[in-house]
Amino acid sequence: MEIEKLKDKLEGSIILPRDAEYEEARTIYNAMIDKRPRIIIKCINKKDVVKAVNFARENKLEVSIRSGGHNGAGLALVNDGLVIDLSEMKGIEVDTESKRAKVQPGRTLAEVDKATHEHGLALPSGIIGSTGVAGLTLGGGIGYLSRKGGLTIDNLLEAEVVLASGELITTNASKNPDLFWALRGGGGNFGIVVSFTFNLIPIRNVYAGPMLWPLEKAEEVMKFYDKITKNASNDLYGFFAFLTVPPVDPFPQHLQMKKVCGIVWCYTGSLDKAAEVFNPIRAFGPPILDFVSELPMPALNGMFDGLYPPGYQWYWKGNYFDELTDECIHQQVIHGSKMPTMLSSMHLYPIDGKVHETPQEDTAWANRGARWAQVIVGVSPNPSDADKITEWCRNYHEAMQPYALGGGYVNFAMEDDQGRVKESYGKNYDRLRKIKKKYDPDNFFHINQNIQPAN
Ligand SMILES: Cc1cc2nc3c(=O)[nH]c(=O)nc-3n(C[C@H](O)[C@H](O)[C@H](O)COP(=O)(O)OP(=O)(O)OC[C@H]3O[C@@H](n4cnc5c(N)ncnc54)[C@H](O)[C@@H]3O)c2cc1C
């Protein structure tokens, strides 16, 4: 392999196992993942990405794509292969006139929030600031603004993509529309996205934050939550959670380390009316903690970042639900009550409202009939908890299968979820396979929730 020659051609850098930076460069968010790539190429522009792809193809190297490095399954890395690392590609341009942002793949959600918020704009994305915008977008993109503004992919207008052939192409609703369709939910299967152009929505401050109730009231709270969100306007978002109150300020001491249930709200309607909208919510068996108040949108998006720094053990599983039957709720509470560590949790993210306004066949993301995406997440700073958190997630997930819709959000999947990919794409799967055959016939990009090329 002519690594030295490649080094001369690149504007970015190459990191090999013998280099001092190697350990840091192969470290990703989930410390449960321990993969040793043969080569890491840190690209700084799209030309570097083209060169890295060509080099991998010519040298028959397996390739993984790394942007934010947050993928729970650790798909940013590949053992003994080449990592195309985009984390230093951090361009971002906000056009306030057209309300658009052009973002390179190395940006995190917090960085996008910061750049857009100063103009009173926001991109509907996820709930933890350190997550990469690239992987999140390509899998769909669920968060506080989903009911108001749709998924992140519903706000994607254009992407520049380096294909397995090394060709750099632009895709949007009229240029290479089949690829544009597939990118919106199909993950990293079709090429390396080197820039995303997003639509932004006008949002500055929101009325938001967590409300908690005792775990003993969880069944009642879940039923109330189901009812109130079913009839709510798209301005009201709230994800339901089982959690343990962290042993830190500002949480009152008598609640610290208690397992509870809660709803993290985000109201994007008129702030003058917010208190009124929350009257019936507060009246329902008053919460034991109420941190809902007016906040800048990035403060909400970063609210839990401190609790979940990089370097912890993570294992998770996802489900979709269209309804929460009494029996489903009963089982949720049984398993939610068994959270094995302080940071383990379960979230139910609403994916109705604006998400349901886009027809199912308009994007590869195939779950617009569902009302919720669930993530069951085992987290611990302690590597010796790895088995415990894995077992809890698997058991909880298994118990949900009689009530869930089948498949799960690909961004909440582990490597052992490859068997669920087809189900997760439902009726869109065959079309995805045909598009995969056209743009990546040899399955060059297969370190992902893999869609096999059609025969
Ligand atoms: C703490 C935490 C909170 C999260 N919260 C949310 C949330 O609120 N909402 C939500 O929807 N998801 C959420 N996620 C899931 C998140 O969307 C996925 O983990 C996603 O893969 C992260 O993207 P990344 O760029 O950081 O990933 P990476 O690990 O860098 O990449 C993951 C995969 O994405 C693909 N990919 C990444 N970049 C590119 C690119 N430029 N071109 C082509 N393919 C690419 C590749 O297949 C790659 O293997 C969360 C994850 C974590 C760990």
Side-chain angles (χ1 to χ4, degrees), residues 28-29 64-77 86 105 107 109 125-128 130-144 152 183 187-194 196 308 314 316 349 409-412 447-449:
I28 54 171
Y29 186 79
S64 69
I65 309 165
R66 176 188 180 140
S67 289
H70 254 237
N71 188 270
L75 297 170
L77 299 181
L86 313 166
R107 285 289 178 183
L109 303 186
S125 64
I127 67 150
I128 297 269
S130 53
T131 311
V133 72
L136 175 131
T137 300
L138 295 169
I142 296 168
Y144 294 113
T152 311
L183 280 186
N189 272 284
F190 301 93
I192 303 186
V193 178
V194 291
F196 299 84
Y308 292 106
W314 283 71
W316 59 19
Y349 297 110
Y409 180 35
V410 290
N411 276 349
F412 294 154
I447 307 294
N448 43 43
Q449 296 296 330

Side-chain angles (χ1 to χ4, degrees), residues 20-241:
E21 309 93 310
Y22 180 75
E23 285 306 318
E24 196 186 328
R26 74 175 189 97
T27 301
I28 54 171
Y29 186 79
N30 183 359
M32 207 188 265
I33 309 294
D34 180 20
K35 292 189 190 169
R36 299 190 68 81
R38 204 187 306 177
I39 308 171
I40 298 170
I41 298 185
K42 291 230 173 206
C43 301
I44 59 164
N45 56 35
K46 47 195 177 190
K47 283 191 212 149
D48 279 355
V49 178
V50 170
K51 286 173 198 156
V53 166
N54 289 338
F55 180 81
R57 209 186 44 252
E58 284 155 16
N59 291 284
K60 300 194 169 27
L61 288 165
E62 275 196 285
V63 161
S64 69
I65 309 165
R66 176 188 180 140
S67 289
H70 254 237
N71 188 270
L75 297 170
L77 299 181
V78 55
N79 268 322
D80 200 32
L82 185 149
V83 178
I84 300 185
D85 184 328
L86 313 166
S87 59
E88 289 178 6
M89 290 179 62
K90 285 200 173 279
I92 183 161
E93 293 159 31
V94 178
D95 182 342
T96 51
E97 196 106 313
S98 62
K99 298 193 176 57
R100 289 179 177 190
K102 188 167 181 179
V103 183
Q104 286 190 334
R107 285 289 178 183
T108 63
L109 303 186
E111 291 166 344
V112 175
D113 277 349
K114 185 169 182 286
T116 57
H117 181 72
E118 62 185 81
H119 305 291
L121 298 168
L123 172 68
S125 64
I127 67 150
I128 297 269
S130 53
T131 311
V133 72
L136 175 131
T137 300
L138 295 169
I142 296 168
Y144 294 113
L145 299 177
S146 296
R147 297 193 83 236
K148 169 94 170 179
L151 302 169
T152 311
I153 49 167
D154 298 334
N155 295 281
L156 181 66
L157 301 170
E158 186 168 286
E160 289 180 288
V161 188
V162 177
L163 302 176
S165 62
E167 192 188 350
L168 171 67
I169 65 171
T170 298
T171 174
N172 56 37
S174 49
K175 272 189 210 161
N176 305 302
D178 52 353
L179 179 61
F180 190 55
W181 178 87
L183 280 186
R184 286 174 293 160
N189 272 284
F190 301 93
I192 303 186
V193 178
V194 291
S195 79
F196 299 84
T197 302
F198 293 112
N199 169 60
L200 304 172
I201 61 174
I203 298 276
R204 198 182 286 274
N205 285 7
V206 291
Y207 190 74
M211 269 183 198
L212 305 181
W213 288 270
L215 197 56
E216 302 75 60
K217 288 198 83 177
E219 287 202 21
E220 261 177 85
V221 175
M222 240 182 184
K223 285 176 192 170
F224 169 75
Y225 165 73
D226 177 17
K227 208 165 99 194
I228 201 145
T229 50
K230 194 177 253 167
N231 302 316
S233 84
N234 289 357
D235 284 332
L236 187 68
Y237 192 93
F239 75 80
F240 179 92

